[in-house]
Amino acid sequence: MENISVAVRFRPPAAAAADTSPYSGGGVGGDREWRVDDTRIALLHRAAPVPGASFAFDHVFDGTATNVRIYGVLVRSLIRAAVHGFNGTAFAYGQTSSGKTFTMNGSGDQPGIIPLSVRDVFDTAREAADREFLIRVSYMEIYNEEINDLLTLGSQKLPIHESLERGVYVAGLREEIVNSAEQVLELLELGEANRHFGETNMNVRSSRSHTIFRMVIESSAKNQMDSGDAIRVSVLNLVDLAGSERIAKTGAGGVRLKEGKHINKSLMILGNVINKLSESGKQRGHIPYRDSKLTRILQPALGGNAKTSIICTAAPEEIHVEETRGTLQFASRAKCVSNCAQVNEILTDAALLKRQNKEIEELRKKLQVSLVYFRLLLKFRCDNSELERDRLAMELEEEKRLRETLEHRLAEQQKMLDDLNRTGISPDQFNDSIQLDALKTPNSKERPNGFVASRAHYSKDVEFSPIPENLGTVADEDLWMQLNKGCITDLEMLEMTPGFKCSQSITEDKTSVATPEEPIDARCQKLEKDCSSDRQQLEESKAKCTALENERDLLKEDNSSLLEELAKSKQEAGRLVVEKEEMLKELDMERSRMEELKQEIRLFSQAFSQRQGQLTSLYTKSKAIVENCKTSSQVSLP
Ligand SMILES: Nc1ncnc2c1ncn2[C@@H]1O[C@H](COP(=O)(O)OP(=O)(O)OP(=O)(O)O)[C@@H](O)[C@H]1O
């Protein structure tokens, strides 16, 4: 959103008024005068400020300001923006004879806003070397609330239409394609000749209509690569309004009176529109654009899609104080109105195609980046899972080894248990270790290599072999002798066995295996306990092993799904590449089609403007001939 630019310009005092009163800084005549500085205007009454009659603006120009200065401050940027695709409107507003036409059209030695703008449009277009321009102009007036074409004689009372594509437009208005500022200025001259002027008490050449000079600026990129760019179309309105007037002052009657009424009415509606627009959102309500042709045509410039500059012209003489005050109030409200200008682009098929292609290209780039990232991630995860797998395999190996060791130990302990069981000594029978010790040879410890006897196959016979069953098959000689208590024993039948020795592992493992000195039942119990804890450990290690194997399987699955995903992404990337190539082919075709069309348009517009030039010069010549004829007939009449 940007506010309308508003400036106030005081014209120099009229010769008659200047003669009768001093003029300083804009105000002139009588007791009241306007004091003007760069940004402020105040009404003074005998050098004292009049309450409620002080105004502040961004730019205030006194009678010494030139058109070039005003153009530079207020309009140049708007023209440059129009060449680059923004709609623009500049108009002069003020009472009759305050200098609107002087500001917009200028005089012989001081070109006004319109001719300066025309030259600037072509200069700016020339500077934009990368773009091609097609400029059309039209010139119309609103006279007594009717629209006339100033470039075509007899083309009057043109209707206003509205469509979605074109917005509000004047149907049947002639639009000239122009190639140079000179060509436009010629057309302007032609239009001026057709415009309604009239003499009033206030102005010998008073504009009796509002005129709208319009330039439609179309441009597209020249470059082959950018030929798919959108076409920019902007509308530039340069408006010279008729001035509000007091009938008493203008002394109007008849036709002038009728004109004056229409002028005042349309300016009043313009004032209403500005008033409404300057109000804040909720109070604003309905904006009466449709109440006059002027506001309808200028609708985009008033609170719409356009950059707008208003030059409010004022007369410094005391006699016009009230009108000037009205103009300054209008200007104060207008500067509160904000517009929303934006570049106007028309998307051709080629432009659409280009944009879509660009989007696809961007998406493809994004996809490539994410594919690279995805691949890295996959690789990282694969590496990780392989490492994990190796770690698990090692752990598994370790567990297996441990299990084997445990099984081995278990087997050994089982064997020992069995061995103990085979001795046949029941813990019930020998629940006292002293009793068991008594069965041993007293110095058996000192004779570790002493022989022991093992019962032969008959030894189970209690008659001859009273060795308790649970003592197993191992006994030393003394024990044998004692236990048989004098029974006849065929010692020759005894089998010689090596002395009983605890396995090293058992003797070393003091916590799990009883020392040989410990009672056998305690050793047994310990061994069984060890056995069961080993079994438990074995079970745990088996469970761990299974868990590790499961984990490994999961990792394998994970790995294969990642590989699958990678394959899919590769497939997708391939598909996108094919799609892109197809689109590029289509784009090439569109480009060549567009080039052909451009060539055709160029040829056509050249032929058209040639024909146009011929017709314009023919028209000017014939008009001059008619004028000549008229003057010669007037001269010869008397
Ligand atoms: N800044 C100026 N410097 C010199 N002369 C000026 C200036 N402004 C206006 N004039 C002169 O004042 C007279 C009236 O100006 P102009 O016709 O431009 O007024 P206007 O506002 O267009 O009036 P109207 O509404 O009646 O058409 C003209 O003779 C014009 O040359």
Side-chain angles (χ1 to χ4, degrees):
M1 297 290 272
E2 79 184 80
N3 278 23
I4 289 180
S5 309
V6 181
V8 176
R9 180 188 201 184
F10 276 91
R11 67 157 165 71
D19 289 343
T20 55
S21 59
Y23 166 67
S24 106
V28 65
D31 290 338
R32 291 184 298 175
E33 61 175 358
W34 291 102
R35 189 177 61 200
V36 173
D37 65 30
D38 284 350
T39 54
R40 244 182 275 273
I41 302 167
L43 181 63
L44 305 180
H45 182 246
R46 292 188 183 148
V50 176
S54 297
F55 302 87
F57 298 99
D58 288 342
H59 310 285
V60 176
F61 303 99
D62 63 19
T64 60
T66 60
N67 282 339
V68 170
R69 178 150 175 247
I70 287 164
Y71 176 79
V73 172
L74 213 67
V75 189
R76 180 172 287 134
S77 61
L78 184 134
I79 299 299
R80 303 267 157 101
V83 174
H84 292 111
F86 289 90
N87 291 339
T89 296
F91 64 85
Y93 175 97
Q95 72 164 116
T96 182
S97 160
S98 56
K100 296 182 294 298
T101 307
F102 183 84
T103 302
M104 294 310 290
N105 288 9
S107 60
D109 58 341
Q110 244 199 84
I113 302 296
I114 295 178
L116 289 171
S117 301
V118 168
R119 289 200 185 279
D120 216 3
V121 164
F122 282 95
D123 289 348
T124 314
R126 218 167 291 125
E127 278 165 23
D130 56 333
R131 297 190 76 81
E132 283 181 325
F133 286 86
L134 181 74
I135 301 173
R136 310 190 302 264
V137 298
S138 61
Y139 200 14
M140 67 185 118
E141 70 169 358
I142 304 172
Y143 176 67
N144 289 347
E145 207 51 16
E146 277 166 1
I147 300 171
N148 301 329
D149 189 343
L150 292 176
L151 298 184
T152 314
L153 264 184
S155 183
Q156 291 181 327
K157 299 183 184 175
L158 300 175
I160 291 180
H161 287 319
E162 198 166 351
S163 77
L164 266 180
E165 293 133 30
R166 293 182 67 184
V168 176
Y169 66 98
V170 178
L173 187 69
R174 181 172 152 194
E175 275 192 334
E176 296 294 324
I177 295 175
V178 287
N179 295 315
S180 66
E182 283 65 33
Q183 197 185 344
V184 180
L185 295 177
E186 262 181 39
L187 287 167
L188 271 167
E189 213 175 293
L190 173 69
E192 284 299 301
N194 295 329
R195 182 176 170 180
H196 282 87
F197 285 104
E199 189 176 340
T200 67
N201 287 351
M202 296 275 293
N203 192 349
V204 282
R205 196 176 146 80
S206 175
S207 311
R208 309 314 291 162
S209 61
H210 309 299
T211 60
I212 300 168
F213 172 67
R214 179 171 277 185
M215 294 180 94
V216 180
I217 305 165
E218 270 186 37
S219 73
S220 59
K222 253 184 205 168
N223 198 319
Q224 280 287 318
M225 290 302 289
D226 297 337
S227 60
D229 262 352
I231 295 172
R232 292 183 193 154
V233 185
S234 55
V235 178
L236 175 66
N237 292 314
L238 301 170
V239 185
D240 181 15
L241 296 178
S244 56
E245 54 192 44
R246 291 205 170 160
I247 307 300
K249 279 190 188 172
T250 52
V255 178
R256 296 284 165 270
L257 181 64
K258 188 183 169 197
E259 289 166 354
K261 280 180 182 167
H262 279 293
I263 292 167
N264 286 347
K265 189 179 171 199
S266 58
L267 289 175
M268 190 192 73
I269 294 165
L270 176 63
N272 289 346
V273 167
I274 293 287
N275 281 354
K276 286 269 179 192
L277 288 170
S278 65
E279 281 167 8
S280 59
K282 275 182 188 166
Q283 294 157 342
R284 195 181 273 187
H286 168 72
I287 317 281
Y289 290 114
R290 285 176 165 266
D291 287 3
S292 80
K293 292 206 163 104
L294 179 68
T295 46
R296 221 172 152 204
I297 291 172
L298 292 185
Q299 184 169 342
L302 305 169
N305 173 19
K307 289 174 180 279
T308 302
S309 295
I310 303 177
I311 303 132
C312 290
T313 55
E317 296 85 6
E318 202 216 359
I319 191 175
H320 301 309
V321 160
E322 289 316 316
E323 286 87 340
T324 300
R325 225 168 147 156
T327 301
L328 297 178
Q329 275 159 358
F330 173 90
S332 297
R333 291 202 199 94
K335 73 178 185 177
C336 301
V337 176
S338 50
N339 282 358
C340 178
Q342 58 193 36
V343 175
N344 302 301
E345 283 188 337
I346 296 172
L347 287 179
T348 59
D349 285 351
L352 265 178
L353 200 70
K354 194 188 165 196
R355 283 209 179 163
Q356 280 168 358
N357 209 38
K358 214 169 159 187
E359 271 173 28
I360 289 173
E361 196 60 30
E362 273 164 18
L363 283 173
R364 205 178 63 82
K365 270 182 199 156
K366 274 187 198 161
L367 187 77
Q368 265 173 355
V369 170
S370 44
L371 265 179
V372 169
Y373 172 75
F374 189 61
R375 271 184 204 141
L376 280 173
L377 192 76
L378 272 180
K379 196 175 171 318
F380 175 74
R381 280 172 71 178
C382 279
D383 288 354
N384 245 10
S385 63
E386 260 167 29
L387 276 174
E388 185 67 4
R389 212 172 48 192
D390 288 352
R391 190 184 62 78
L392 284 174
M394 272 164 70
E395 269 185 36
L396 199 69
E397 227 18 70
E398 189 65 23
E399 283 295 321
K400 272 182 186 163
R401 254 205 315 273
L402 194 70
R403 197 172 64 178
E404 276 167 18
T405 319
L406 283 171
E407 275 172 350
H408 184 68
R409 271 177 68 183
L410 198 70
E412 272 183 2
Q413 284 169 359
Q414 190 64 47
K415 192 166 163 265
M416 275 168 62
L417 258 179
D418 291 348
D419 286 350
L420 274 173
N421 284 338
R422 268 200 302 274
T423 58
I425 301 170
S426 153
D428 302 334
Q429 279 175 284
F430 301 98
N431 45 10
D432 185 357
S433 64
I434 303 161
Q435 201 184 346
L436 194 66
D437 281 347
L439 294 175
K440 289 182 181 170
T441 306
N443 56 354
S444 59
K445 275 183 201 162
E446 283 77 48
R447 293 167 50 203
N449 294 323
F451 75 90
V452 292
S454 133
R455 283 188 301 174
H457 58 280
Y458 53 86
S459 62
K460 279 194 178 138
D461 187 346
V462 269
E463 287 291 316
F464 303 98
S465 182
I467 295 173
E469 276 300 310
N470 53 7
L471 205 64
T473 54
V474 181
D476 63 17
E477 188 183 8
D478 294 340
L479 180 66
W480 178 262
M481 292 300 282
Q482 281 176 36
L483 291 177
N484 281 293
K485 288 183 184 143
C487 291
I488 300 159
T489 307
D490 182 5
L491 283 175
E492 294 304 312
M493 292 300 286
L494 285 174
E495 283 175 25
M496 301 306 283
T497 64
F500 176 75
K501 260 190 189 172
C502 288
S503 80
Q504 207 181 355
S505 63
I506 297 169
T507 46
E508 275 170 7
D509 188 356
K510 288 184 180 144
T511 54
S512 58
V513 181
T515 54
E517 289 80 21
E518 274 182 301
I520 285 185
D521 58 335
R523 282 169 62 195
C524 253
Q525 273 170 2
K526 270 189 187 171
L527 276 170
E528 266 171 6
K529 210 167 129 195
D530 279 355
C531 237
S532 74
S533 92
D534 279 355
R535 256 192 218 108
Q536 205 180 331
Q537 241 180 306
L538 188 67
E539 285 309 313
E540 278 169 13
S541 116
K542 267 182 187 168
K544 211 170 168 191
C545 214
T546 325
L548 282 169
E549 272 167 358
N550 285 347
E551 213 174 313
R552 188 195 54 196
D553 289 346
L554 282 175
L555 272 170
K556 266 184 190 168
E557 269 173 34
D558 212 9
N559 208 355
S560 64
S561 77
L562 282 174
L563 287 171
E564 231 170 76
E565 271 180 61
L566 186 66
K568 271 186 200 161
S569 329
K570 272 185 186 164
Q571 220 176 330
E572 181 65 10
R575 196 184 60 74
L576 279 171
V577 169
V578 173
E579 218 171 89
K580 187 196 140 197
E581 272 163 11
E582 277 171 13
M583 295 215 81
L584 280 174
K585 265 185 216 160
E586 270 179 49
L587 187 68
D588 282 345
M589 276 163 62
E590 283 296 327
R591 270 187 196 142
S592 55
R593 222 168 66 197
M594 201 173 148
E595 273 312 305
E596 283 166 14
L597 278 171
K598 269 189 177 172
Q599 188 59 25
E600 268 178 44
I601 290 172
R602 234 174 271 139
L603 290 173
F604 181 75
S605 70
Q606 269 170 10
F608 198 82
S609 47
Q610 264 179 10
R611 184 82 186 119
Q612 184 58 43
Q614 284 168 358
L615 281 172
T616 313
S617 62
L618 199 67
Y619 177 81
T620 323
K621 273 179 199 163
S622 52
K623 208 178 163 203
I625 293 167
V626 172
E627 289 295 324
N628 280 344
C629 287
K630 271 186 194 167
T631 34
S632 56
S633 64
Q634 273 170 2
V635 171
S636 59
L637 261 178

